Amino acid sequence: MARTIQSLERAAAMLRLLAGGERRLGLSDISSSLGLAKGTAHGILRTLQQEGFVEQDAASGRYQLGAELLRLGNSYLDVHELRARALVWTDDLARSSGESVYLGVLHQQGVLIVHHVFRPDDSRQVLEVGAMQPLHSTALGKVLSAYDPVAHSEVVEADRETFTPRTVTGLEDFEGLLDLTRARGWAADVEETWDGVASVAAPIHDRRRMPVGAVGVTGAVERVCKDGELRPEIIAAVRDCARAVSRDLGAGRF
Amino acid sequence: MSETPTTSHGTHGHGPFIAAIDQGTTSSRCIVFDKDGRIVSVDQKEHEQIFPKPGWVEHNATEIWTNVQQVVDGAVEKAGITAADVKAIGITNQRETTVLWDKNTGEPVHNAIVWQDTRTDALCKELGRNVGQDRFRRETGLPLASYFAGPKIRWLLDNVEGLRERAERGEILFGTMDSWVIWNLTGGVNGGHHVTDVTNASRTMLMNLHDLAWDEKILTSMDIPAAVLPEIKSSAEVYGTAASGVLTGVPVASALGDQQAALFGQTCFQQGEAKSTYGTGTFMLMNTGHEPVNSYNGLLTTVGYRIGDETPVYALEGSIAVTGSLVQWMRDQMGLINSAAEIETLASTVDDNGGAYFVPAFSGLFAPYWRSDARGVIAGLTRYVTKAHIARAVLEATAWQTREITDAMTKDSGVELTALKVDGGMTSNNLLMQTISDFLDAPVVRPMVAETTCLGAAYAAGLAVGFWSSTDELRANWRRAAEWTPRMDAATRDREYKSWLKAVERTMGWIEDEE
């Protein structure tokens, strides 16, 4: 019989364990269930986490299956389905905020814009569906990096370019921003990608609570911010929109 | 009641508001709008589709009226407002669906006969006499087809026992769903107003388009007593006030057939402006100004709207039978996709149709060809063609058919289309919208409020009570959510159109002897 690779067998056993019974397990549960030393189990979990097959809950430290596993299967959410579900809510967000709305998903090492609603004034605007935005500096990208472990591993490895004097590129500072994003439930980009432009975004989850995309508004910094702060009503409207789309995708209230 | 998208964050403006009732084919809805034309709340309830025989479709008009009352209550309650905050009620409705009721009891004498019902096919042939289906086209703008209300009334008079006598004694009232809702809403047996608007009346085949009055000759030809008919009013005026429910005392101030309401909601107030609604099928209407334009290219001539005493506005209408339903067919019958939205994903994996053209003439070709002997064809197949190319051909079929209708409209009206305003579920399909723009060589624009039908009814009602001052003010409310501009070079477009037309030719004559 051909030699097998022990660590892969152990990784497979972990995934099976996380897939059955209780959804989230702590390190000690996993190691004792599989008869492994904690250090060994942790090494495998960390690798699986980097690949997006496992994710760790920030608050409890427990592990659960990651989004990448779903992408491997055929149950991933079609981006055009996402756009169809988001249509009415994003229209309404554009009207209530007075700014343009973008819906983005992770694609390769960036944010792919899958839906764009014009700013509701009569100015000439060009549809930006299909455009790419950077992960590390935009509000959409930060939301995806904070919630989607696959996006996170991409952004950590990527060369984080400096676009403006305000772009955060250092890993530690950037991780701090992601922690803040997870704690608040939204991310911002105030002149970190483009001079004079600010945006706010929040995550969209599907019925498995998987982060499937981010939605946000983008506009001139003097309109999106007031007295140097993001306008709270814009943040509230963005989060409401993200919740509404998530609810339409079957995610429970949260 | 189903939960429908509403603004949940309360950032909409404060009152006053307009309530719009959309009495549709599958459900009744009520939407409350604020002054900016934004949706404040929605309530919706489906009603039963009754299929007594193949080709027959009926609705229970009593159930519909009950649902309308419930959704009005529901929407007002969700909005957290009272009758005092609502300045007017507007009505839009499924067109041509016909109900007759007893004016003393308010009871329908039969289920409503729905527009899709084909029971009057034979009657329509008979009514054509030696002239054929265009016998009443000069007066009404319509061909003799089973959709329209006049022959449905005749069928009921002929087939419900004793009905003709009761009708002639003046005990029976006819209405399309606008009339039924308005009569009940304004009091029913206790003084309800028996009225219809010019757009709904234009779908009965009984109204003369030129003077907007019931045509006595046609009434005689169809043997319909004038006593059953409602009074024809404009689309935007106060018909009466609500006599019951949470909105008691609020003026009932507009009625428009659903497609005309969408034209109004899209603010197509100028000659040459057109809207296209992409759903299961597609309906395109073009504002042709103050004169009815005769169609020699297979379109319908209809009333677009009339605001109070102003000069009426006419429209040309073209419909495509199979658009969204072709995508559903790809999903349900072919199993090539799991959801309708996935057609775009599949189609986007290739850059072109690979030489394949799909003409979905499932029950013949409609406007502008009108060939019932045609059946669907996928042409241009080679070993190279994949399911992704077919998906692309599916989307292109909707775009080419839109092009054929706009070409017919241009021929009939002499007005070149400058931009196409779109609404309906398929507008979320980006590739389709881009393809339509490419094939029309014109910009395609999507407005910010998808609910253009209800919005149109709200707009008309708001104009009637002075909530909005003018159509200019409404136009200022219109917001562009997206715009697709043509990217295809003329040579490619012409070559592709030629290939499409060749494929269309190959559908014809498939059915050899039609019964």
Side-chain angles (χ1 to χ4, degrees):
Chain A
M1 192 175 140
R3 230 172 77 87
T4 54
I5 299 169
Q6 193 186 33
S7 56
L8 280 180
E9 288 172 346
R10 287 173 171 172
M14 264 176 209
L15 292 177
R16 278 192 209 101
L17 187 67
L18 288 167
E22 226 181 314
R23 266 178 60 80
R24 291 179 182 185
L25 295 171
L27 177 61
S28 50
D29 302 327
I30 294 170
S31 53
S32 64
S33 299
L34 299 178
L36 297 173
K38 265 192 184 179
T40 312
H42 188 242
I44 294 170
L45 279 167
R46 263 182 56 96
T47 311
L48 287 172
Q49 193 181 357
Q50 262 180 21
E51 296 298 328
F53 291 155
V54 158
E55 55 192 53
Q56 191 175 16
D57 182 61
S60 64
R62 287 165 174 260
Y63 293 91
Q64 65 189 51
L65 291 183
E68 189 59 19
L69 274 179
L70 294 170
R71 287 205 187 87
L72 284 178
N74 56 5
S75 59
Y76 77 102
L77 181 72
D78 186 285
V79 297
H80 301 110
E81 184 78 38
L82 178 61
R83 184 198 299 135
R85 301 294 188 100
L87 201 69
V88 283
W89 305 109
T90 46
D91 275 6
D92 198 63
L93 178 58
R95 278 209 93 138
S96 66
S97 65
E99 300 297 342
S100 51
V101 173
Y102 296 86
L103 186 66
V105 299
L106 175 67
H107 181 68
Q108 291 167 352
Q109 286 84 43
V111 183
L112 172 67
I113 302 302
V114 297
H115 182 46
H116 171 199
V117 184
F118 289 170
R119 186 173 62 249
D121 55 25
D122 268 342
S123 63
R124 269 269 163 252
Q125 295 166 69
V126 176
L127 207 58
E128 290 174 47
V129 172
M132 293 290 291
Q133 290 187 2
L135 274 175
H136 68 283
S137 63
T138 60
L140 293 173
K142 283 184 226 173
V143 165
L144 292 174
S145 304
Y147 288 91
D148 183 337
V150 182
H152 184 256
S153 66
E154 296 287 358
V155 77
V156 165
E157 280 167 28
D159 177 27
R160 291 178 295 279
E161 199 183 328
T162 302
F163 299 112
T164 74
R166 303 185 64 153
T167 313
V168 176
T169 56
L171 186 58
E172 207 171 310
D173 290 344
F174 181 68
E175 290 285 10
L177 277 180
L178 297 187
D179 287 340
L180 181 65
T181 301
R182 282 183 287 261
R184 296 195 296 200
W186 55 274
D189 162 12
V190 181
E191 298 190 280
E192 291 166 52
T193 313
W194 303 283
D195 283 323
V197 175
S199 54
V200 178
I204 296 171
H205 298 273
D206 70 3
R207 64 194 158 83
R208 299 160 202 257
R209 303 281 300 261
M210 290 301 164
V212 291
V215 64
V217 301
T218 298
V221 66
E222 54 272 19
R223 290 195 307 264
V224 176
C225 299
K226 197 182 171 192
D227 305 325
E229 295 286 328
L230 289 155
R231 281 167 49 202
E233 64 272 24
I234 287 191
I235 297 168
V238 167
R239 300 190 70 194
D240 280 337
C241 177
R243 279 192 207 103
V245 177
S246 300
R247 205 162 55 229
D248 261 9
L249 293 171
R253 286 174 195 278
F254 51 93
Chain B
M1 271 174 226
S2 59
E3 194 183 351
T4 12
T6 61
T7 53
S8 53
H9 39 79
T11 48
H12 57 77
H14 298 286
F17 305 98
I18 301 284
I21 297 168
D22 177 4
Q23 200 304 295
T25 306
T26 56
S27 70
S28 300
R29 302 194 301 160
C30 179
I31 301 185
V32 175
F33 290 95
D34 70 10
K35 187 137 187 182
D36 294 332
R38 287 186 58 207
I39 295 172
V40 177
S41 67
V42 185
D43 202 14
Q44 177 165 0
K45 195 171 185 193
E46 292 192 2
H47 56 260
E48 191 189 352
Q49 305 293 315
I50 304 163
F51 305 107
K53 286 185 189 182
W56 290 28
V57 190
E58 297 179 354
H59 291 158
N60 179 339
T62 305
E63 179 192 4
I64 284 178
W65 168 236
T66 307
N67 289 0
V68 166
Q69 291 171 283
Q70 285 180 7
V71 296
V72 169
D73 289 359
V76 168
E77 188 189 324
K78 282 185 192 173
I81 58 177
T82 66
D85 303 317
V86 179
K87 290 299 155 208
I89 302 168
I91 289 158
T92 177
N93 56 288
Q94 51 168 326
R95 301 180 302 175
E96 299 121 12
T97 296
T98 298
V99 61
L100 293 180
W101 69 96
D102 185 313
K103 80 182 211 194
N104 298 310
T105 64
E107 292 293 324
V109 299
H110 188 276
N111 278 335
I113 303 180
V114 178
W115 58 277
Q116 302 138 320
D117 188 297
T118 55
R119 78 184 67 183
T120 53
D121 268 344
L123 177 61
C124 286
K125 282 211 179 79
E126 191 189 312
L127 288 168
R129 294 246 190 99
N130 52 346
V131 186
Q133 64 171 12
D134 285 343
R135 184 176 170 200
F136 304 121
R137 194 188 265 271
R138 205 162 43 89
E139 295 82 6
T140 65
L142 308 173
L144 266 164
S146 61
Y147 297 118
F148 306 112
K152 293 184 199 292
I153 304 176
R154 164 71 178 271
W155 187 93
L156 287 166
L157 292 171
D158 287 351
N159 289 278
V160 178
E161 213 189 314
L163 189 60
R164 180 169 291 280
E165 293 69 34
R166 290 164 70 194
E168 274 161 5
R169 284 199 301 268
E171 296 167 17
I172 298 297
L173 302 179
F174 150 76
T176 39
M177 298 318 285
D178 54 316
S179 302
W180 172 244
V181 170
I182 294 170
W183 186 79
N184 280 292
L185 194 57
T186 56
V189 293
N190 301 311
H193 295 270
H194 188 218
V195 296
T196 189
D197 94 296
V198 283
T199 68
N200 279 294
S202 78
R203 312 300 288 195
T204 58
M205 280 203 101
L206 304 175
M207 186 185 78
N208 191 305
L209 279 179
H210 304 273
D211 61 7
L212 303 181
W214 300 121
D215 189 303
E216 281 176 34
K217 275 192 192 150
I218 298 176
L219 289 177
T220 310
S221 304
M222 288 203 200
D223 202 8
I224 293 170
V228 302
L229 300 173
E231 187 183 348
I232 301 173
K233 299 275 201 177
S234 78
S235 319
E237 64 178 280
V238 176
Y239 309 125
T241 53
S244 60
V246 290
L247 294 183
T248 299
V250 176
V252 181
S254 77
L256 290 149
D258 49 13
Q259 297 305 327
Q260 281 90 342
L263 186 75
F264 208 85
Q266 286 270 27
T267 66
C268 294
F269 299 132
Q270 256 167 21
Q271 191 176 355
E273 287 190 307
K275 72 90 202 174
S276 196
T277 303
Y278 291 90
T280 313
T282 290
F283 289 89
M284 184 163 161
L285 269 75
M286 181 194 250
N287 179 330
T288 60
H290 298 306
E291 294 295 328
V293 172
N294 282 324
S295 177
Y296 299 98
N297 293 285
L299 306 173
L300 307 181
T301 308
T302 197
V303 181
Y305 58 88
R306 181 181 199 178
I307 303 166
D309 298 334
E310 291 177 22
T311 326
V313 168
Y314 293 89
L316 278 170
E317 174 173 327
S319 52
I320 309 172
V322 179
T323 50
S325 54
L326 180 58
V327 176
Q328 289 164 3
W329 181 85
M330 289 285 282
R331 181 192 64 196
D332 302 335
Q333 257 95 324
M334 294 293 105
L336 288 177
I337 44 174
N338 292 315
S339 74
E342 266 182 50
I343 192 84
E344 186 176 355
T345 314
L346 185 55
S348 301
T349 60
V350 288
D351 292 331
D352 58 31
N353 58 23
Y357 299 82
F358 195 153
V359 186
F362 289 164
S363 45
L365 284 170
F366 291 76
Y369 302 102
W370 300 104
R371 288 284 297 259
S372 52
D373 63 346
R375 285 300 178 269
V377 154
I378 303 178
L381 293 180
T382 59
R383 283 201 65 167
Y384 173 73
V385 169
T386 64
K387 61 179 180 179
H389 294 118
I390 302 292
R392 199 132 187 143
V394 159
L395 296 181
E396 292 185 354
T398 293
W400 284 128
Q401 290 179 91
T402 304
R403 165 75 186 262
E404 290 178 332
I405 302 268
T406 53
D407 282 359
M409 287 185 172
T410 303
K411 276 188 209 154
D412 281 334
S413 68
V415 180
E416 198 86 40
L417 183 81
T418 47
L420 182 65
K421 292 176 169 181
V422 295
D423 50 63
M426 283 181 99
T427 57
S428 75
N429 191 318
N430 210 56
L431 180 60
L432 173 64
M433 294 301 117
Q434 182 60 52
T435 307
I436 293 173
S437 174
D438 287 343
F439 289 1
L440 296 184
D441 196 22
V444 167
V445 280
R446 183 176 78 81
M448 212 153 261
V449 171
E451 305 290 352
T452 51
T453 305
C454 274
L455 185 62
Y459 277 172
L463 280 179
V465 298
F467 184 69
W468 287 293
S469 60
S470 65
T471 52
D472 285 345
E473 190 186 350
L474 298 179
R475 197 185 276 279
N477 257 346
W478 192 89
R479 295 279 183 276
R480 184 186 288 119
E483 176 166 1
W484 294 267
T485 47
R487 288 186 201 154
M488 186 175 262
D489 64 272
T492 310
R493 175 167 41 246
D494 293 346
R495 192 185 64 233
E496 288 293 309
Y497 195 20
K498 241 173 137 177
S499 300
W500 162 261
L501 293 173
K502 274 198 319 206
V504 169
E505 236 169 70
R506 277 156 179 76
T507 65
M508 297 181 192
W510 180 261
I511 303 291
E512 284 193 5
D513 46 27
E514 239 199 317
E515 289 293 296

